[in-house]
Amino acid sequence: MDCCRALFFFLCLLTSQGTTAEITSKEIFRWMQNMERPKGRKPPSPHDQVHGLEQRLLNATFHDNTLKLSTNTIQSLVFKLGCNFTGLSLSSAAQERVPQARTLHAMHFPAELTRDTCSSPAQPRELRLICIYFFTTSFFQDNKNSSLLNNLVLGAQLDRRRVNNLREPVNISFWHNRSLEGYSLTCVFWKEGANKHRWGAWSPEGCHTEQPLPSQVLCRCNHLTYFAVLMQLSLAPVPAELLVPLEYISFVGCSISVVASLLTILLHLHARKQSDTIRHIHMNLHISVLLLNVTFLLSTALVMPSGAACVALAALLHYALLSCLTWMAIEGFNLYLLLGHVYNVYIHRYMLKLCALGWGVPALLVLLLLAVKSSVYGPHAIPVSYSQENGTVFQNMSMCWVQSPVVHSVLVMGYGGLTTLFNLVVLVWVLHVLRRLQVQKKVLGPRACRDTVTVLGLTVLLGTTWALAFFSFSVFLLPQLFLFTIFNSLYGFFLFLWFCFQRYHSEAEAKAEMEVFNSSQTVH
């Protein structure tokens, strides 16, 4: 009886093993379909769905060396590998087309892929490489709703092992048939646990971006995971050969401006012939310029911090920029009050209100952003292009700055544009007033020359050179980069020259008045 029972269980075991491949393949296919059309009031999370598919593929039993399953938006491939692995190239052109796949893609795995596993004392009889292609971004949404090229995510995994630090990279090619002018393309991978609100985030670590052809993006990555090409609206990439001189100009110019701003603040403290309001406004402008230059130098000189330190540095740099722009606008408003002869306007606690505007409003905006969504600050990618024989290679540099495109558009470009436009209007009005005075008094020679210098000084004082930021396109890009960097890194130094000119002019006028007074006393 025991022998019959044992024989019965043995036959059942053989039967179950014979039908496992068919059942498992059907189960995997149904799982993929359920991922596309989740059922129930509370469907599984993207994390559970993706990892559930991985586990089923790793445990699948099939007779051939390859298993391929496809639905409308997901394609799964499983390969049996041995320690004699010499490399593997996969191309969508040679595979069954998925309905949502509108463009081509390819992956090449180097022979090094199995090196560490096969070099261990207990070598496995068989390795399993799984590839999962998603033609939708619904399973990989970060908190920025990032845009991916072709909405395509290509993933690969070798058994249940982590494959990192490959000397010969995995090559992933993405082809496209669209114009990407104005976009920066970055090869990224899905980094699990990188975001506390989502199950991961896109990161460029370990990946190198190249564009051998205008219609191809080549990603060279030293690990296995899920890969994609991140599309971001940005300026045209900075040529690498111009990056070093631009960095040198920025460092030298900002350093000179820091010293000049400190000297100007000390000189303002000893200036007695200016009214308190004008002196205090100038001092606050110089302090804001000093803070901006020091913060910028720290952000470039220090190794880029991570986490909260990078957020804090980016928020401080943004605050310094907003304060500097606000005090430029305050200079323009005060200049209008002075030249407009609006002496009968009395503003109670005028200087206190200006300080609340110049320092308080930028602080309120930055603190509000930090309270609502602190992720608007962090590592900001700056695209840099390298020209090589086989095409153009793109690589990103990072600095702690505003990450959100909306915040950058509104509270950097928009804020700076409004203040610059206001000061440009004030400058045009000042030119009109000076022109009218010249016509009335018919001033020529030294007075006209002095007025010209005054206009140039006011152009610097009102910060109208920041308008160059809006000419970073087409043929204006390279000239704009150098002009913007030179003028605005030396902004503190130009303010120092303006202060010296004003002080010299005041002392000359005072000396001339004293000579006239002495001569009149002598005549009497």
Side-chain angles (χ1 to χ4, degrees):
M1 187 68 180
D2 292 336
C3 292
C4 293
R5 187 178 297 172
L7 181 61
F8 173 74
F9 281 113
F10 180 70
L11 291 173
C12 290
L13 181 61
L14 288 177
T15 305
S16 64
Q17 287 181 344
T19 58
T20 299
E22 182 181 353
I23 295 174
T24 304
S25 298
K26 290 181 179 179
E27 285 180 351
I28 295 173
F29 186 75
R30 283 198 298 268
W31 183 271
M32 293 166 62
Q33 288 182 321
N34 290 335
M35 289 177 67
E36 294 180 334
R37 299 183 296 274
K39 299 177 181 179
R41 294 183 178 180
K42 190 176 180 181
S45 66
H47 172 274
D48 294 336
Q49 290 178 314
V50 173
H51 284 300
L53 178 58
E54 292 174 356
Q55 294 303 317
R56 282 160 174 78
L57 292 173
L58 289 172
N59 294 325
T61 302
F62 51 97
H63 299 292
D64 298 328
N65 290 326
T66 305
L67 174 65
K68 297 181 181 180
L69 297 171
S70 300
T71 58
N72 288 330
T73 59
I74 306 173
Q75 186 176 39
S76 300
L77 301 93
V78 187
F79 301 93
K80 294 179 181 178
L81 307 181
C83 287
N84 58 348
F85 178 67
T86 58
L88 177 64
S89 294
L90 302 176
S91 174
S92 59
Q95 299 172 14
E96 179 184 350
R97 295 299 298 272
V98 176
Q100 294 296 325
R102 298 182 177 89
T103 54
L104 299 176
H105 56 85
M107 297 184 77
H108 174 73
F109 301 95
E112 185 194 357
L113 194 66
T114 61
R115 180 197 60 193
D116 292 339
T117 304
C118 291
S119 62
S120 61
Q123 294 186 5
R125 289 188 308 167
E126 177 185 286
L127 294 171
R128 184 164 293 192
L129 175 67
I130 64 171
C131 297
I132 308 176
Y133 303 154
F134 292 93
F135 301 91
T136 174
T137 60
S138 57
F139 300 100
F140 299 91
Q141 286 291 333
D142 57 7
N143 60 346
K144 303 175 188 175
N145 292 324
S146 300
S147 298
L148 303 181
L149 182 64
N150 301 330
N151 290 330
L152 180 58
V153 180
L154 304 181
Q157 181 178 338
L158 182 66
D159 278 352
R160 292 175 176 84
R161 297 170 173 82
R162 287 186 175 273
V163 179
N164 295 315
N165 302 319
L166 293 171
R167 289 176 296 185
E168 187 178 350
V170 178
N171 293 335
I172 310 103
S173 293
F174 299 81
W175 282 272
H176 60 89
N177 51 11
R178 55 188 295 186
S179 174
L180 298 176
E181 185 177 356
Y183 284 91
S184 64
L185 303 178
T186 308
C187 293
V188 291
F189 79 98
W190 187 253
K191 188 175 183 179
E192 292 191 38
N195 190 287
K196 59 183 179 180
H197 301 295
R198 308 278 179 161
W199 72 284
W202 293 112
S203 171
E205 299 172 16
C207 288
H208 188 68
T209 308
E210 298 182 13
Q211 286 187 255
L213 299 171
S215 59
Q216 180 188 6
V217 180
L218 176 60
C219 301
R220 299 183 183 273
C221 302
N222 63 1
H223 54 281
L224 291 186
T225 180
Y226 292 96
F227 303 101
V229 176
L230 189 65
M231 297 172 55
Q232 293 176 301
L233 281 171
S234 69
L235 300 176
V238 180
E241 58 270 14
L242 300 180
L243 190 61
V244 173
L246 286 172
E247 289 179 339
Y248 181 78
I249 293 172
S250 298
F251 178 78
V252 173
C254 289
S255 301
I256 293 174
S257 291
V258 167
V259 176
S261 296
L262 287 172
L263 287 175
T264 312
I265 292 171
L266 293 175
L267 291 173
H268 267 299
L269 292 174
H270 294 84
R272 299 181 179 179
K273 293 198 174 182
Q274 287 182 304
S275 68
D276 287 342
T277 300
I278 296 176
R279 181 167 59 87
H280 287 153
I281 291 176
H282 289 344
M283 284 185 62
N284 279 280
L285 175 61
H286 287 293
I287 293 172
S288 67
V289 173
L290 177 64
L291 177 63
L292 178 61
N293 285 314
V294 170
T295 310
F296 180 78
L297 287 174
L298 287 176
S299 67
T300 54
L302 296 177
V303 176
M304 193 184 75
S306 59
C310 187
V311 171
L313 185 58
L316 181 61
L317 183 58
H318 189 206
Y319 170 72
L321 176 63
L322 294 180
S323 298
C324 186
L325 292 171
T326 306
W327 280 107
M328 291 176 192
I330 290 173
E331 287 278 8
F333 175 72
N334 193 65
L335 182 63
Y336 168 75
L337 292 183
L338 290 175
L339 292 184
H341 303 290
V342 192
Y343 296 113
N344 57 340
V345 175
Y346 173 73
I347 302 176
H348 183 60
R349 294 185 177 180
Y350 179 53
M351 197 61 223
L352 182 62
K353 292 178 179 178
L354 291 182
C355 287
L357 178 64
W359 298 111
V361 171
L364 181 63
L365 292 174
V366 172
L367 290 175
L368 184 62
L369 288 174
L370 288 172
V372 173
K373 194 175 182 181
S374 61
S375 60
V376 298
Y377 298 112
H380 173 72
I382 303 172
V384 181
S385 63
Y386 296 84
S387 297
Q388 295 183 354
E389 294 180 359
N390 58 346
T392 303
V393 178
F394 294 90
Q395 188 174 357
N396 285 338
M397 293 184 60
S398 295
M399 68 173 291
C400 296
W401 183 232
V402 178
Q403 283 187 310
S404 170
V406 176
V407 174
H408 186 272
S409 299
V410 176
L411 287 182
V412 177
M413 300 302 293
Y415 197 95
L418 287 176
T419 55
T420 304
L421 179 62
F422 172 75
N423 282 352
L424 280 173
V425 172
V426 172
L427 182 62
V428 172
W429 177 77
V430 169
L431 289 174
H432 174 70
V433 171
L434 291 177
R435 178 62 180 170
R436 187 177 58 192
L437 291 175
Q438 286 180 354
V439 171
Q440 289 177 353
K441 298 181 179 181
K442 297 181 180 180
V443 292
L444 296 172
R447 181 61 182 269
C449 182
R450 192 184 67 190
D451 288 344
T452 303
V453 176
T454 301
V455 170
L456 292 175
L458 291 176
T459 303
V460 173
L461 181 69
L462 299 179
T464 53
T465 54
W466 287 84
L468 290 168
F470 299 92
F471 290 90
S472 55
F473 57 88
S474 188
V475 296
F476 297 102
L477 175 61
L478 296 183
Q480 178 268 352
L481 279 175
F482 279 93
L483 291 176
F484 183 86
T485 303
I486 293 171
F487 284 127
N488 293 309
S489 64
L490 291 171
Y491 181 67
F493 177 69
F494 292 146
L495 286 178
F496 171 74
L497 295 180
W498 165 249
F499 171 78
C500 293
F501 170 76
Q502 289 290 95
R503 188 168 185 176
Y504 172 78
H505 174 61
S506 299
E507 291 178 354
E509 282 191 342
K511 184 177 180 180
E513 291 178 359
M514 183 61 67
E515 290 177 354
V516 171
F517 176 77
N518 291 336
S519 61
S520 62
Q521 291 293 327
T522 304
V523 171
H524 290 293

